[in-house]
Amino acid sequence: VDVIRGTGLEKQIMKNRWTERIPVMSPSLTELESKYVQNSLDSTWIGGEGAYIDQMERDWADICGVSHAVMTANGTLAITLALQVIGVGAGDEVIVPALTYAATANSVRLVGGEPVFVDVEEDTWCMDSTLVESAITPRTRAIIPVDLFGHPTDIDPITEIANAHGIHVIIDAAQSHLATYKKRPVGSLAQMTTFSFHVGKMFTSGEGGAVTTDDAELAGKLRLIRGHGMDPNRRFFHPVVGTNNRMTNLQAAMLCAQIERRDEIVARRRATFQAYANGLSGIPGLSLRPVADWATASPWVFCLRLSESEFGMSRDDLIEELSGRNIETRPFYYPLHRLPMYRELSESRGESCPVSDSLSSEGMFLPSSTDISADELGFIIETVRSISSKRSGS
């Protein structure tokens, strides 16, 4: 309090409301992004081919420690494309975690398969490897672990199970840019890994995605299907059914600038996460996201988990309180096995995912943009502490 006394922040706190809404996510854009996008415009290469796409594929493959990165139109289509090249289709099952964004399961449905849900674990909030074996059936074709909220999945035991059953593994790393697992970069840990560069992600091209792999044959198939299935050596000859799943050179130009700024972006976001951790520690009923000692999590979104009985109000009530003070937040995802399009089949399989259910009802994000200001951070922290103090009567 002494640090902020006499500052503009003190006036904001006294008014109990920030002047402008603090967004939960917002892209960090500079003159570099403008320069590269203008370069793309000037070149007239603004579609699905161009130098920035080539550069981005080289850079992202290098960052992920693999031989190939295939840029796509978005992260959902990256998963769909990966499923297509391994032949997932009607009648096939794909194991996914119950707590993730709907795109993971929806991609399985989009290629004609059926998602099978397993719970996440308390220690990482990612797929519980001890539950995978029992979810495998003769129809299981693949497993899609998800690096939830930037934390890598404990992938080694899942890979061991998959190899024993001859099942493919595709990691959904949409949220875990630059994360590491046992000192190995995310993007190099499975047969294929998918990424998103949506406007809300740490690195963004507005919309966009990628698939990384060390398998040259798979990379060739990914590129073929991504471009309408047209033979790269015979124009307008299409040996397979494909889609238009290409990132544009304009998008890649923006993304190249973001990647060039990656050290700055990551450093600022890690500083934000540390400020939150320091400022919110010790509040009864409020716990922060656990991080395994073998992981370096991506600083994508800062997560809280609330115990209503200890904190004195529910997660939803806290979200409403913060919204009234111009602080935007988000609840955790609704468990996929409880969504209307999946619920009936999940119930028929007897799927139970209590950890996912609990996290879904208790978890939330705080504003985590790269460009969040120190004053905004201070206001958020002081507001949460003030609400807690009033609820506890201290």
Side-chain angles (χ1 to χ4, degrees):
V1 174
D2 290 338
V3 174
I4 63 174
R5 188 171 288 130
T7 67
L9 176 56
E10 182 183 20
K11 294 178 182 178
Q12 297 279 6
I13 293 173
M14 291 292 290
K15 289 190 294 185
N16 208 30
R17 191 172 188 270
W18 199 254
T19 304
E20 297 181 357
R21 194 158 185 81
I22 304 172
V24 69
M25 299 172 189
S26 179
S28 174
L29 303 176
T30 68
E31 291 182 1
L32 189 63
E33 283 82 2
S34 297
K35 175 184 174 182
Y36 287 1
V37 169
Q38 188 61 52
N39 287 346
S40 178
L41 289 170
D42 291 343
S43 74
T44 72
W45 286 86
I46 62 173
E49 297 180 64
Y52 283 113
I53 296 173
D54 296 340
Q55 178 183 330
M56 189 60 217
E57 293 193 333
R58 290 192 301 268
D59 289 349
W60 197 246
D62 184 59
I63 287 167
C64 294
V66 295
S67 303
H68 307 279
V70 179
M71 309 313 294
T72 64
N74 57 57
T76 305
L77 289 174
I79 302 171
T80 304
L81 190 63
L83 290 168
Q84 285 177 306
V85 299
I86 60 172
V88 174
D92 293 329
E93 293 179 345
V94 178
I95 299 171
V96 302
L99 189 64
T100 180
Y101 188 60
T104 312
N106 289 349
S107 296
V108 178
R109 275 276 179 91
L110 287 170
V111 298
E114 193 62 50
V116 173
F117 301 107
V118 299
D119 207 358
V120 298
E121 56 184 12
E122 288 276 2
D123 293 342
T124 66
W125 302 355
C126 297
M127 181 181 284
D128 188 337
S129 61
T130 66
L131 304 175
V132 171
E133 187 99 42
S134 61
I136 294 173
T137 75
R139 295 168 55 199
T140 306
R141 191 67 179 272
I143 305 170
I144 307 181
V146 178
D147 296 346
L148 193 67
F149 308 140
H151 193 294
T153 302
D154 188 6
I155 194 64
D156 284 351
I158 294 173
T159 301
E160 185 177 345
I161 294 167
N163 289 343
H165 289 269
I167 296 169
H168 298 279
V169 176
I170 301 166
I171 296 177
D172 178 352
Q175 304 166 356
S176 61
H177 300 170
L178 272 56
T180 64
Y181 171 75
K182 298 181 180 179
K183 300 183 179 180
R184 292 139 54 193
V186 164
S188 66
L189 306 172
Q191 187 180 32
M192 287 181 285
T193 304
T194 66
F195 293 90
S196 168
F197 301 108
H198 175 263
V199 67
K201 297 300 189 291
M202 185 164 71
F203 307 130
T204 183
S205 50
E207 291 285 357
V211 184
T212 58
T213 182
D214 259 330
D215 189 316
E217 183 179 354
L218 280 178
K221 290 180 179 179
L222 289 165
R223 296 183 193 282
L224 180 66
I225 296 176
R226 175 188 69 174
H228 290 291
M230 187 169 69
D231 188 327
N233 300 311
R234 297 176 65 185
R235 185 164 291 277
F236 305 135
F237 181 77
H238 303 259
V240 299
V241 174
T243 60
N244 183 358
N245 188 355
R246 296 171 293 195
M247 176 181 284
T248 69
N249 202 47
L250 276 173
Q251 292 171 309
M254 180 186 295
L255 193 53
C256 282
Q258 295 266 288
I259 298 306
E260 191 171 321
R261 296 175 52 221
R262 64 186 179 278
D263 290 344
E264 167 210 349
I265 290 172
V266 171
R268 292 171 68 176
R269 295 174 79 98
R270 291 206 186 283
T272 292
F273 276 41
Q274 191 59 56
Y276 273 138
N278 293 342
L280 298 174
S281 64
I283 297 178
L286 188 154
S287 58
L288 310 184
R289 198 213 198 293
V291 178
D293 58 9
W294 42 257
T296 302
S298 178
W300 177 50
V301 288
F302 190 83
C303 301
L304 299 179
R305 187 178 185 183
L306 266 68
S307 167
E308 182 174 354
S309 60
E310 295 178 37
F311 188 77
M313 69 166 56
S314 70
R315 185 274 313 276
D316 290 346
D317 287 340
L318 179 58
I319 286 175
E320 186 174 349
E321 286 260 5
L322 294 175
S323 179
R325 303 178 197 201
N326 260 348
I327 301 170
E328 183 184 25
T329 61
R330 289 283 192 279
F332 281 5
Y333 307 130
Y334 204 85
L336 299 189
H337 66 295
R338 297 193 180 279
L339 291 179
M341 61 280 204
Y342 300 123
R343 182 173 55 236
E344 184 175 348
L345 191 56
S346 178
E347 288 176 351
S348 72
R349 294 192 296 248
E351 292 169 350
S352 175
C353 304
V355 179
S356 297
D357 289 336
S358 178
L359 284 167
S360 176
S361 65
E362 296 174 355
M364 61 183 288
F365 311 151
L366 291 181
S368 304
S369 299
T370 300
D371 294 336
I372 191 170
S373 71
D375 280 355
E376 288 171 328
L377 273 173
F379 178 72
I380 294 165
I381 291 167
E382 289 299 322
T383 300
V384 173
R385 297 198 74 90
S386 173
I387 292 171
S388 172
S389 295
K390 289 178 182 178
R391 287 290 169 165
S392 63
S394 58

